[in-house]
Amino acid sequence: MEEKRIVKYPFSAIVGQEEMKKALILNIINPSIGGVLIRGEKGTAKSTAVRGITELLPLRKQVKACPFSCDPEDESKMCRDCRERLQKEGKLEAIQGKMKVIELPINATEDRVAGTLNIETAIKKGEKKFEPGILASANRNILYVDEVNLLEDHVVDMLLDAAAMGVNTVEREGISFSHPSRFILVGTMNPEEGDLRPQLIDRFGLVVDVVGERETNMRMNVVKRRIEYERNPEKFLNKFKDEEEKLKERIMKAISILDEVEYDDEIIEKVSKACVELDIDGHRGDIVAIKTAMTIAAFDGRKKVEKEDLLESLKYVLPHRMRRRPFEKGTMDFSIVEKIILE
């Protein structure tokens, strides 16, 4: 019996939520931005957007039967087994695969996330037998964590460390095993259910706040499109086929020119001034702001960062990095940033 194809809600069909969609696109173009945290009420298309964006990406090469989906043409980012086989055989068998969304269950244990080492096999046979976890499946994919604020802090720390280093290391009884774990981290949360520690929230490259549409016609459009999709997913998808194709081409072009995008010292100076003025801790915000501005320029088909690119990037990068006092909401006066950037 032929398996029925699951038709995902088209990314282009999502009504409104432009900042959320843009933040996801920027991370797809440039994964080094460091992921995105989407904060907001339920029913605002957060998970729909995450699942839909993978449909905008072309097939990619990956090593057949590799649990980490290694790129057969990039030895520097391969797992140990693929690297050893490549050196021995000279070539690895590859298949065509697609970027996937790997979802992390809210009750996931540390072993389920990181994977485990079979100590008995190591002691008896002297071999490292690794049982892959979620971080193995996430390599070269999107790791989606719904209600990230409800996860145990040590699990969130583990995710963020792997995202920053691109490697997951498991240690047990003096034995360790490492594997590549490069992924785009997307977290969602409802702030009413509790917040993330400042040290953790700072590790997300971008943060976007979303709310339900407040304009009547926009809300009507949300309802109409959802019902239309549920009645006939294939027909609905075809309706947005051209828009999806255009966006796909734009993303692929941005990826192809990203390494050619340049910026001058004035751009860095303005970022530094803004971060000093708003009392931003550390330098992560400065770095992510430049990377994001470069990606915005590439998405617009340009190879030079402009002030407007930087200003847009700071809307995603700075608000969650501001130092807050107790009981303070942490909203920022963005006119201060505008004055610094556009002067």
Side-chain angles (χ1 to χ4, degrees), residues 146-182:
D146 193 17
E147 298 183 314
V148 64
N149 51 324
L150 302 184
L151 281 178
E152 296 286 341
D153 280 350
H154 68 279
V155 174
V156 179
D157 277 327
M158 189 193 311
L159 295 178
L160 293 168
D161 283 344
M165 302 295 293
V167 174
N168 175 46
T169 300
V170 179
E171 295 184 359
R172 192 176 168 197
E173 307 294 337
I175 301 170
S176 68
F177 180 89
S178 296
H179 68 79
S181 189
R182 293 175 177 83

Side-chain angles (χ1 to χ4, degrees), residues 12-281:
S12 303
I14 296 171
V15 177
Q17 309 299 0
E18 299 304 326
E19 287 191 356
M20 174 180 71
K21 291 188 286 188
K22 186 73 168 282
L24 288 169
I25 288 170
L26 294 176
N27 271 278
I28 289 290
I29 296 168
N30 186 0
S32 75
I33 284 173
V36 56
L37 175 63
I38 305 169
R39 302 185 295 197
E41 59 201 47
K42 294 184 182 296
T44 46
K46 297 189 292 291
S47 59
T48 301
V50 175
R51 295 186 184 101
I53 199 165
T54 57
E55 298 302 301
L56 299 173
L57 299 173
L59 293 172
R60 47 98 187 275
K61 288 182 180 178
Q62 58 192 53
V63 177
K64 186 178 181 180
C66 173
F68 312 109
S69 305
C70 285
D71 182 348
E73 297 174 353
D74 189 351
E75 186 177 351
S76 66
K77 295 175 183 175
M78 285 181 185
C79 66
R80 184 190 62 186
D81 287 349
C82 284
R83 192 179 298 115
E84 288 177 355
R85 280 171 50 207
L86 180 64
Q87 290 168 356
K88 188 185 296 183
E89 300 168 17
K91 190 177 181 181
L92 296 170
E93 186 178 354
I95 58 172
Q96 293 289 315
K98 199 170 184 67
M99 180 180 275
K100 297 179 289 187
V101 175
I102 307 299
E103 297 192 35
L104 181 76
I106 192 68
N107 59 351
T109 62
E110 190 169 333
D111 284 352
R112 177 76 182 91
V113 175
T116 57
L117 278 166
N118 190 316
I119 297 301
E120 189 177 343
T121 303
I123 293 172
K124 288 182 177 179
K125 299 182 179 179
E127 299 174 359
K128 292 182 182 179
K129 186 178 179 184
F130 178 68
E131 295 171 7
I134 290 170
L135 288 177
S137 302
N139 190 46
R140 301 184 71 208
N141 290 308
I142 294 173
L143 181 58
Y144 176 54
V145 188
D146 193 17
E147 298 183 314
V148 64
N149 51 324
L150 302 184
L151 281 178
E152 296 286 341
D153 280 350
H154 68 279
V155 174
V156 179
D157 277 327
M158 189 193 311
L159 295 178
L160 293 168
D161 283 344
M165 302 295 293
V167 174
N168 175 46
T169 300
V170 179
E171 295 184 359
R172 192 176 168 197
E173 307 294 337
I175 301 170
S176 68
F177 180 89
S178 296
H179 68 79
S181 189
R182 293 175 177 83
F183 52 84
I184 298 169
L185 180 62
V186 179
T188 62
M189 59 175 277
N190 185 345
E192 293 178 0
E193 297 172 348
D195 215 337
L196 278 174
R197 299 200 320 263
Q199 302 96 303
L200 296 181
I201 202 168
D202 174 63
R203 300 278 291 279
F204 281 92
L206 313 180
V207 171
V208 177
D209 292 301
V210 296
V211 295
E213 294 297 338
R214 295 293 184 258
E215 202 273 316
T216 304
N217 287 335
M218 294 284 275
R219 289 181 78 96
M220 287 173 62
N221 224 354
V222 170
V223 176
K224 283 180 180 178
R225 288 188 181 184
R226 189 69 206 186
I227 293 174
E228 191 180 343
Y229 163 73
E230 290 177 0
R231 279 180 176 166
N232 192 329
E234 287 282 1
K235 184 178 178 182
F236 187 77
L237 178 62
N238 286 333
K239 185 177 176 180
F240 288 89
K241 192 174 180 180
D242 288 346
E243 286 185 50
E244 291 279 284
E245 199 58 41
K246 285 177 186 174
L247 184 53
K248 182 189 292 186
E249 289 175 6
R250 191 177 172 189
I251 289 171
M252 294 313 298
K253 182 184 177 185
I255 291 172
S256 70
I257 67 170
L258 181 62
D259 287 343
E260 300 173 48
V261 176
E262 298 178 344
Y263 54 88
D264 53 37
D265 284 349
E266 184 188 9
I267 293 293
I268 301 179
E269 182 184 3
K270 287 181 178 295
V271 169
S272 299
K273 279 185 178 179
C275 289
V276 169
E277 184 68 29
L278 293 173
D279 200 19
I280 304 296
D281 289 332

